């Protein structure tokens, strides 16, 4: 089954590596979201616990994010081949998490070129050892064949790719979930692939390497485009209002509440108790809300 703009369409696809872990969703003509499961990395999902994107043109296809391992990228490739006859000729890494780049080597072996911000590549090099160690523990033998492989094309703030008459803009407004986060903009269809700058349906993660203030600035850059279609880094394709509710509003509430808590003399131990209950509807809220609070406390303590 393929989901088109939120509805299920009866298109039968043979069972394959991706069958139980990846859900394609047609966003517009020649554009798809590919949603992985909202769960931890494991041997079944092969590190593909995120949302990816596919753009088809007459001169080849562009994949937004490569998958979390060599085998995860291979599973994505099997699915991509059911959606388009065009080969993937470019892959865009939208950030620094493993599912945003660890599959690069597979696609480069198929002849694709990888594009990423220079800040993302620096982050890949900084954290590759930790990521590989964690992936081995989480996906086991599913990591076999995976080796760090970096982008062929890098940019500082923005890069425009024109392929088969389709203009594809890549923007790196600054650090967000990871230091090198970028979003991909298709002006013709007003579609944005946000990478980890937007989470839908599940709580986002603020990590030690995240920048919650700059993240909101990056979200504002997405808002300024007034997109019709938003493909998040986690969750199904959606609209801007939903992205604002689940990502922007959550971050704004967390930072505003934390500012008051710090100004009142609060410490990091008690920071986990700040009120985030308006967002308890988000998946993984209980697991991540307290950790997010402590991370934002540490970021804001000296602001």
């Amino acid at each position: 089954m393929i989901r088109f703009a939120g509805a299920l369409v009866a298109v039968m696809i043979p069972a394959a590596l991706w069958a139980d872990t990846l859900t394609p969703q047609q966003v517009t003509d020649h554009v798809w979201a590919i949603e992985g499961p909202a769960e931890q990395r494991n041997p079944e999902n092969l590190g593909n616990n995120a949302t990816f994107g596919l753009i088809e043109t007459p001169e080849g296809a562009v994949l937004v994010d490569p998958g979390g391992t060599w085998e995860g990228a291979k599973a994505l490739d099997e699915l991509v081949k059911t959606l388009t006859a065009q080969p993937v000729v470019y892959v865009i890494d939208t950030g620094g998490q493993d599912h945003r780049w660890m599959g690069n080597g597979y696609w480069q072996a198929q002849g694709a070129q990888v594009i990423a911000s220079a800040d993302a590549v620096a982050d890949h090099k900084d954290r590759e050892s930790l990521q590989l160690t964690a992936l081995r523990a989480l996906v086991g033998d599913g990591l076999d064949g995976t080796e760090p492989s970096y982008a062929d094309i890098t940019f500082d703030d923005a890069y425009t790719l024109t392929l088969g008459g389709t203009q594809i803009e890549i923007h790196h407004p600054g650090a967000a979930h990871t230091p090198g986060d970028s979003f991909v903009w298709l002006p013709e269809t007003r579609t944005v692939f946000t990478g980890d700058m937007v989470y839908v349906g599940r709580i986002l993660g603020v990590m030690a390497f995240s920048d919650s203030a700059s993240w909101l600035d990056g979200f504002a850059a997405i808002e300024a485009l007034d997109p019709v279609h938003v493909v998040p880094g986690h969750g199904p394709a959606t609209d801007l209002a939903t992205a604002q509710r689940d990502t922007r509003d959550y971050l704004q509430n967390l930072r505003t509440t934390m500012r008051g808590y710090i100004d009142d003399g609060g410490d990091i131990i008690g920071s986990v108790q700040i009120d985030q209950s308006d967002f308890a509807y988000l998946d993984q809220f209980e697991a991540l809300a307290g950790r997010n609070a402590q991370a934002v406390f540490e970021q804001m303590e000296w602001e």
Side-chain angles (χ1 to χ4, degrees):
M1 304 288 278
I2 292 179
R3 192 164 53 192
F4 182 88
L8 288 176
V9 180
V11 178
M12 300 307 297
I13 297 174
L17 280 173
W18 53 270
D20 295 325
T21 59
L22 296 170
T23 302
Q25 177 186 4
Q26 190 157 13
V27 179
T28 67
D29 290 344
H30 310 294
V31 176
W32 292 265
I34 301 172
E35 185 184 359
E39 62 187 16
Q40 181 56 277
R41 300 153 181 81
N42 61 46
E44 288 71 42
N45 64 46
L46 298 169
N48 288 344
N49 60 332
T51 298
F52 309 91
L54 178 66
I55 305 160
E56 179 188 48
T57 86
E59 295 180 3
V62 177
L63 186 67
V64 181
D65 292 315
T69 58
W70 178 285
E71 289 298 322
K74 184 177 179 181
L76 270 172
D77 195 13
E78 288 194 8
L79 173 54
V80 165
K81 286 173 179 174
T82 71
L83 301 174
T84 177
Q86 294 288 347
V88 172
V89 293
Y90 290 98
V91 175
I92 300 168
D93 294 349
T94 65
Q97 294 294 69
D98 45 19
H99 36 235
R100 307 297 174 202
W101 80 282
M102 275 292 180
N104 283 349
Y106 172 86
W107 294 104
Q108 289 165 324
Q110 316 311 309
Q113 288 189 289
V114 177
I115 306 171
S117 73
D119 284 342
V121 174
D123 188 31
H124 300 164
K125 293 177 179 180
D126 284 346
R127 295 196 291 130
E128 64 183 38
S129 179
L130 289 173
Q131 290 180 345
L132 286 169
T133 299
L135 281 168
R136 178 60 74 184
L138 293 167
V139 307
D141 292 344
L143 185 64
D144 291 354
T146 305
E147 296 289 343
S149 188
Y150 311 115
D152 305 287
I153 300 168
T154 61
F155 63 93
D156 291 329
D157 302 317
Y159 184 87
T160 297
L161 170 69
T162 301
L163 183 69
T166 299
Q167 183 173 318
I168 302 167
E169 300 177 10
I170 313 168
H171 297 273
H172 168 49
H177 181 58
T178 71
D181 282 348
S182 299
F183 62 84
V184 180
W185 173 239
L186 305 181
E188 183 178 357
T189 60
R190 292 172 62 193
T191 300
V192 63
F193 298 87
T194 70
D196 286 329
M197 295 175 71
V198 174
Y199 286 57
V200 167
R202 61 150 286 192
I203 193 171
L204 57 80
V206 183
M207 314 295 286
F209 46 76
S210 304
D211 186 325
S212 59
S214 178
W215 193 335
L216 285 169
D217 293 338
F219 194 98
I222 293 172
E223 288 178 304
L225 298 171
D226 192 24
V228 173
H229 309 286
V230 177
V231 179
H234 294 269
T238 188
D239 55 20
L240 181 59
T242 303
Q244 288 170 324
R245 181 194 69 199
D246 288 1
T247 293
R248 184 201 63 184
D249 293 354
Y250 173 76
L251 269 180
Q252 285 181 338
N253 176 78
L254 181 54
R255 285 184 55 83
T256 299
T257 306
M258 190 61 71
R259 180 77 274 155
Y261 174 79
I262 291 171
D263 289 348
D264 288 342
D267 61 16
I268 192 170
I269 296 173
S271 66
V272 298
Q273 302 299 327
I274 69 165
D275 185 12
Q276 302 182 59
S277 59
D278 285 349
F279 300 91
Y281 68 90
L282 293 169
D283 188 34
Q284 300 184 36
F285 177 84
E286 293 297 330
L288 297 179
R291 189 189 73 182
N292 287 349
Q294 288 191 323
V296 169
F297 178 95
E298 291 182 317
Q299 293 173 18
M300 297 188 68
E301 188 176 13
W302 307 111
E303 286 184 2

